[in-house]
Amino acid sequence: MKGLKQFGAMALAAALTITLVAPISASAAIYMDQDGATGNKTYTNEDTKESFTESADLEFGNDIASALAKTPKVYYISTNDYADIKLSTTIDVAKFTGFKSNKKKALKVRVEKTEEVTKGNNAWVTDSYAYAKKENGTWKYYYKDVNNEWKSTDVDGLEKLGENSGKYTIRLYANKPGTYKIKYNAVDANGATIAKKTIKVVARDDSRAIKSITYGGKNILPDTDGDGRDDYTNYYSVTKRSVYTTKKKGKLVITANKDFKIKKIEIGTPVLDTRNLETTNPTGTQTYGNKPIDLNGNGRTDDTVKGVYEGSVSMTWKKVKNKKTIKLSKVEDNEAGNYNKSWKSGKTEVLTEKGNFAPTTIRVTVYDKKNKTTSTEQYLIFLRVRK
């Protein structure tokens, strides 16, 4: 299947653009936690174990998540397909120049760029550093330079460094498998080359992290054999609304491609919570698609744990083993919102909607052996519960 793939320069696991029934997201192993009591946030990279917590002497800029990410050593692309690598200059670099492939005939490279001069405009400042730390009564601003090393400066230095910036989209097309290199220069505001950079590109017939996914013995990963047809259509019934199955349970088998390892598989079930109405008229109950859950076990439900606010949890997760039978969720897609209300006047109103489908989320944690990074992929499988 042809399609344009995009890779961010700070993404931890490039090339994890997998499609299965309905892909939800791909995310790196960088998490934000927030203490509900203090309001302080903590950002952590679970691969590198690097972590920062804000306090009276440490404040975050908007670039903290990108700075914590590992720059990929390798980008994976599919042969005979287009792929984009997106790069942005770091604060110490004015622009990138001289993009060149080491094998021009086999790997075609086209660069689209946007370069800006922001001198005298302080709007960029909060986007240009990872965190600010008060040291001996003076604020120092920390950022990652073009070589991915931590550096610091004062506010005047920050303004001078950030006078120029550039964004680049490198469009690639490889006509055969192989390992390629793209070289380019990092240039400062004075026009001097401060670093010579190299991007390593691995082109394969299938660049995805996941090679195959089967449920109940049937393939549900589109076009795994490369013939241009979606193989799952023989198993799923396709409607205008969704792709679905009627098989309530079956063996789930997920296989990784070369250089990737499956670390964990989880099954997500939507949360339903029936609550009493907080009014005296009407009285009754209403069903919601979320509820407070103490995720970190501290006895409260006002924290944010790995990006999920405890006061409104919409999904619970259960770890499952690969190549084992799983049961799909029976929580129907529109059960949230059902209610039973009675007014003092004697009027009673009941709404009980029955859904046609029950979604089950499959969350796969994948480890990239070459880049030594972790990411997660999520997919939806719809169980048809009624015709």
Side-chain angles (χ1 to χ4, degrees), residues 245-309:
T245 180
T246 57
K247 194 177 183 66
K248 297 180 181 179
K249 63 179 181 178
K251 183 184 290 187
L252 179 69
V253 181
I254 305 178
T255 305
N257 264 318
K258 180 182 178 182
D259 295 323
F260 293 94
K261 177 183 178 181
I262 298 171
K263 293 180 65 175
K264 183 170 57 175
I265 301 172
E266 297 165 288
I267 304 298
T269 301
V271 167
L272 288 180
D273 188 22
T274 301
R275 309 172 198 171
N276 293 326
L277 298 178
E278 296 180 355
T279 60
T280 56
N281 189 29
T283 60
T285 61
Q286 186 164 351
T287 303
Y288 296 82
N290 61 77
K291 66 179 178 181
I293 299 177
D294 182 9
L295 298 175
N296 58 10
N298 66 356
R300 306 197 320 264
T301 57
D302 59 353
D303 302 317
T304 297
V305 181
K306 292 188 176 181
V308 177
Y309 176 55

Side-chain angles (χ1 to χ4, degrees), residues 344-361:
K344 289 181 179 178
S345 61
K347 177 184 175 182
T348 299
E349 185 178 2
V350 178
L351 173 65
T352 305
E353 287 199 57
K354 297 293 185 179
N356 294 320
F357 302 93
T360 297
T361 306

